[in-house]
Amino acid sequence: MSPTRSIPSPQGLPLLGNTLQIPSHSPDEYFRKLAAEYDEEGLFQLDLLGRKVLFVYDPDMVAELCDETRFYKGIDPPLSIVRDFGGDGLFTARHDEPVWGHAHRILMPAFSQRSMKAYFPQMLEIAQNLVGKWAISDEVNVPDDMTRLALDTISLTGFDYRFNSFESPQLHPFLQAMGRSLTEAMLRNRQLPLVTRLKKRQETAYRSDIRVMQDLVDDVIRQRRSTGRNDTRDLLGLMLQAADPQSGERLSDENIRNQVLTFLIAGHETTSGLLSFALYNLLRDPHVLARAYAEVDRLLPGDTVPTYDTIMKLDVIPRVLEETLRLWSPIPAFAVKSFEDTELGGYPVSKDQVAVVLLGRLHKHPGAWERPDEFDIDRWLPENRSGHHPAAYKPFGNGERACIGRQFALTEARLALAMVLQRFAISDPAVYRMKIKQMLTLKPEDFTVRVRERRAHERGVAETVAETVREQPVEVAVTGVGLTVAYGSNLGTAADVAERLAEVAGRSGFATTLTTLDELEPPSDGLLVVITSTYNGKAPDNAQRFDALEGLPAMEGVRFALLGCGNTQWPTYQAFPRRVFDKLTAAGAVPLVERGEADADGDFDGDVSAWTSGLWAALAAEYGAS
């Protein structure tokens, strides 16, 4: 049946449509007001210089837009303008450009859980630079310093390049050029092309700023090549040395430049905004601020230097960040386009029509959130998280085009916020009123706070943190019992766990076989241990044939254990491990222990150790301990 509902839209002008109604300095604020006006419909449409653009914020409709079989990421203004300097980097590559897939597959290992561990010393160094600057300051500009922090972190960890941003009171020339370029891109988004061409002076300045950014990136690449380093330990090393594992293609020099620029821009803009908004929220909720201080005092007493494992044990601070992303997402929106003529909640959508998901309104939609305007970090407790609408929280975008660096950004933000709270008492005597600065992302403008060193009596009493459970708490000694360890892994984390487990099993006397899920010959007896990750709900590359199997041979004589590796930030967390578990039980295999989950957004190593400990205890009970 053809859709009959008409899409609501404000009155516009001939030719220009609604374009001039959108304020250049705060378009997101305008869109939020319109969304409130059309709250019941859950969407509205604007005419932007002849382009009909949908703006959607109803969670059920957003769930439809996130169906990647129907909609794809569109690169239209302002993103198509950002291509002037982002080119075909991951953020601005078009869906039909093969280089996106090449680069994405090459770069994925740089954002694995084990890579986060490798980056941690550099993250720590830059966070120490931040607190060092604040230690000699009475008042600080939060967005400026968080911008310095995030830029220096991504440049050092990703490209082994030092901006040394904290050594100067002025923002680095790269940041200044980038800010002006993004501002110009947003202005061009609402100008007629003819008007843009007539503004010769702005064009000259715009191209000059782009050259400043490109020259710096060329220098970064030149410095790396001059060292003769031939490793793939960071983003730049992977781009210079690695080939796409699927096609064998390598990245061109121009694309490498575009990727570096993309990470320098996108990799610092969002994180700096998140940290600035998080401090704003904490200063307005003393109860939550006290809980955050207490957590830091417990895990980082005195002058304790944070470790990766300690930062991943935090609970209150990660929930502060998640709730901040809900209330003040630095990314205001993302856009998709329809593959074909279709409908959305009964409204007509034409092929290739742009649909913009408005995160500000989606994240506060009363149909998905209780008390949507209230800052409540307990929404993100595990027992409450499971009840969230699956499409009502999208701060990192959606699907395979979602932010590849989300785990990097959240690890960096956890560390920085924990170190700030460990060291400083923060206050806001001027009672800052939120004023949003919008370029491509959102930040508080001119948000300054007062800082001083915390005094001994203000610190809570530290508790003894329990040591991580050993992975083999009991000894098991058998002879010749068959044990197959199968894994599915794109980034190497699940493979590492599987290899470690197989090694211990071999030393214990099991006749051990280590294999990928695709190469697995399902056993008819003995033991099977599966360690697998998932990516965007799909099987890893070396487990896709296994996933495609309609069924498995009879496995009634098999006992099995399964550990799923993933990240609770992704809505498809544990999707593929659950399918593996169901497939094995359908074939008659019997679980030896409960299905395990290891969360890379939490204490991943602790999760692995606890599950492995339970597995060895079950094996000891089954086969006897020596």
Side-chain angles (χ1 to χ4, degrees):
M1 187 175 75
S2 299
T4 56
R5 303 171 77 181
S6 59
I7 301 172
S9 177
Q11 184 70 37
L13 298 172
L15 297 178
L16 296 174
N18 307 106
T19 307
L20 297 183
Q21 297 169 0
I22 304 173
S24 58
H25 63 282
S26 57
D28 185 63
E29 184 178 341
Y30 172 75
F31 296 147
R32 288 180 190 234
K33 288 178 180 177
L34 274 183
E37 186 176 335
Y38 300 114
D39 199 33
E40 186 175 337
E41 293 85 350
L43 83 171
F44 59 86
Q45 182 172 267
L46 297 181
D47 180 344
L48 304 179
L49 300 177
R51 292 185 303 129
K52 302 289 186 182
V53 179
L54 287 176
F55 292 83
V56 185
Y57 39 93
D58 175 88
D60 293 332
M61 293 187 197
V62 171
E64 290 192 62
L65 292 176
C66 291
D67 181 349
E68 293 177 283
T69 66
R70 297 175 58 199
F71 299 91
Y72 64 94
K73 178 177 177 177
I75 306 299
D76 291 276
L79 284 188
S80 58
I81 302 170
V82 174
R83 274 180 69 101
D84 287 344
F85 43 97
D88 54 2
L90 286 178
F91 188 53
T92 45
R94 297 189 175 93
H95 82 287
D96 55 357
E97 290 181 303
V99 72
W100 180 86
H102 301 159
H104 196 258
R105 288 185 289 271
I106 287 171
L107 290 168
M108 276 176 59
F111 294 98
S112 67
Q113 188 260 354
R114 64 179 178 180
S115 292
M116 297 306 107
K117 279 185 168 182
Y119 298 148
F120 191 80
Q122 292 101 316
M123 288 185 177
L124 178 61
E125 176 187 337
I126 303 305
Q128 288 171 330
N129 291 344
L130 170 74
V131 297
K133 178 179 183 294
W134 285 22
I136 58 173
S137 306
D138 295 322
E139 191 173 84
V140 294
N141 184 306
V142 177
D144 278 3
D145 280 347
M146 293 308 180
T147 296
R148 291 181 171 93
L149 169 93
L151 179 72
D152 284 13
T153 300
I154 185 61
S155 64
L156 183 59
T157 58
F159 314 113
D160 195 23
Y161 184 89
R162 294 180 181 273
F163 278 93
N164 297 318
S165 298
F166 289 103
E167 295 180 4
S168 171
Q170 301 299 320
L171 291 178
H172 192 280
F174 176 89
L175 284 174
Q176 296 181 41
M178 186 214 70
R180 290 191 297 265
S181 298
L182 288 174
T183 300
E184 178 65 17
M186 297 302 291
L187 289 172
R188 292 182 176 208
N189 183 41
R190 61 191 298 273
Q191 285 177 178
L192 288 169
L194 174 62
V195 175
T196 300
R197 287 194 294 269
L198 290 174
K199 294 186 173 183
K200 303 294 185 183
R201 185 180 303 170
Q202 287 87 337
E203 173 69 11
T204 300
Y206 179 55
R207 297 298 165 183
S208 176
D209 284 332
I210 291 174
R211 281 195 301 275
V212 167
M213 293 188 289
Q214 291 177 338
D215 286 348
L216 183 138
V217 171
D218 288 341
D219 186 51
V220 171
I221 297 170
R222 193 180 304 114
Q223 285 188 32
R224 172 62 64 87
R225 283 196 163 125
S226 69
T227 65
R229 279 172 53 186
N230 193 26
D231 61 58
T232 56
R233 285 179 292 182
D234 62 10
L235 291 168
L236 186 53
L238 280 167
M239 289 188 285
L240 290 172
Q241 302 296 331
D244 174 13
Q246 190 175 104
S247 68
E249 294 284 337
R250 300 175 74 91
L251 302 182
S252 68
D253 284 357
E254 181 181 5
N255 184 257
I256 292 173
R257 174 210 269 175
N258 292 338
Q259 302 296 356
V260 174
L261 261 175
T262 294
F263 281 112
L264 287 175
I265 295 171
H268 90 271
E269 272 291 287
T270 49
T271 308
S272 58
L274 166 60
L275 284 164
S276 301
F277 286 127
L279 281 176
Y280 172 85
N281 284 334
L282 286 173
L283 287 169
R284 271 139 197 83
D285 195 323
H287 176 64
V288 176
L289 179 59
R291 290 168 68 186
Y293 274 128
E295 176 172 71
V296 168
D297 291 345
R298 178 172 60 87
L299 292 175
L300 297 172
D303 296 325
T304 301
V305 177
T307 65
Y308 176 83
D309 290 340
T310 303
I311 290 301
M312 298 315 288
K313 286 183 171 71
L314 293 168
D315 170 61
V316 173
I317 285 176
R319 289 191 278 124
V320 166
L321 294 171
E322 290 201 83
E323 181 69 346
T324 296
L325 285 169
R326 186 186 71 83
L327 285 174
W328 297 104
S329 172
I331 297 293
F334 66 89
V336 297
K337 300 174 83 169
S338 174
F339 282 114
E340 303 292 343
D341 289 347
T342 185
E343 63 176 79
L344 184 67
Y347 294 101
V349 179
S350 303
K351 179 180 178 180
D352 289 329
Q353 183 171 6
V354 177
V356 177
V357 176
L358 289 179
L359 298 182
R361 187 57 188 161
L362 173 69
H363 289 174
K364 295 182 181 179
H365 197 283
W369 305 99
E370 294 182 6
R371 300 167 285 104
D373 294 314
E374 186 177 318
F375 180 67
D376 178 9
I377 68 169
D378 289 344
R379 297 180 201 275
W380 302 100
L381 289 169
E383 60 269 26
N384 296 332
R385 181 194 295 266
S386 60
H388 294 173
H389 190 294
Y393 183 68
K394 295 285 182 178
F396 293 98
N398 177 67
E400 67 176 8
R401 291 298 296 264
C403 175
I404 192 174
R406 111 196 265 165
Q407 188 174 349
F408 181 99
L410 291 173
T411 303
E412 173 191 0
R414 284 183 181 197
L415 172 63
L417 191 52
M419 291 184 68
V420 163
L421 294 177
Q422 179 192 30
R423 188 81 176 266
F424 302 108
I426 305 168
S427 60
D428 179 18
V431 192
Y432 174 80
R433 294 185 64 182
M434 179 61 72
K435 181 180 180 184
I436 294 293
K437 179 180 181 180
Q438 180 167 1
M439 292 190 291
L440 200 60
T441 62
L442 308 179
K443 288 182 185 179
E445 186 169 18
D446 297 326
F447 174 36
T448 60
V449 299
R450 184 172 294 171
V451 294
R452 64 164 174 80
E453 297 272 358
R454 293 178 70 198
R455 301 178 182 120
H457 72 273
E458 294 173 320
R459 297 181 183 273
V461 178
E463 298 176 9
T464 302
V465 181
E467 293 184 5
T468 302
V469 180
R470 289 195 307 129
E471 290 193 8
Q472 191 180 357
V474 294
E475 292 290 332
V476 180
V478 300
T479 303
V481 176
L483 187 152
T484 300
V485 181
Y487 64 88
S489 180
N490 270 2
L491 307 182
T493 303
D496 285 349
V497 176
E499 289 167 5
R500 196 163 65 239
L501 192 147
E503 180 187 358
V504 175
R507 291 203 305 267
S508 300
F510 287 97
T512 305
T513 301
L514 179 67
T515 180
T516 67
L517 277 168
D518 274 352
E519 296 168 342
L520 172 68
E521 295 184 7
S524 57
D525 56 19
L527 296 161
L528 171 65
V529 178
V530 177
I531 315 291
T532 187
S533 59
T534 189
Y535 180 68
N536 197 27
K538 300 175 184 176
D541 291 344
N542 54 13
Q544 292 189 358
R545 289 199 302 274
F546 179 91
D547 193 31
L549 293 173
E550 291 295 328
L552 298 174
M555 299 177 67
E556 280 84 359
V558 178
R559 303 296 300 278
F560 81 95
L562 186 147
L563 175 66
C565 304
N567 188 317
T568 48
Q569 283 292 324
W570 294 88
T572 52
Y573 175 68
Q574 298 294 330
F576 175 63
R578 287 193 185 98
R579 293 203 298 274
V580 176
F581 187 90
D582 292 343
K583 189 169 288 190
L584 292 172
T585 54
V590 178
L592 181 65
V593 294
E594 289 187 7
R595 178 177 61 82
E597 298 184 359
D599 179 16
D601 193 48
D603 184 9
F604 181 89
D605 290 337
D607 293 342
V608 172
S609 294
W611 181 84
T612 310
S613 174
L615 173 62
W616 286 112
L619 290 172
E622 190 88 5
Y623 297 101
S626 63

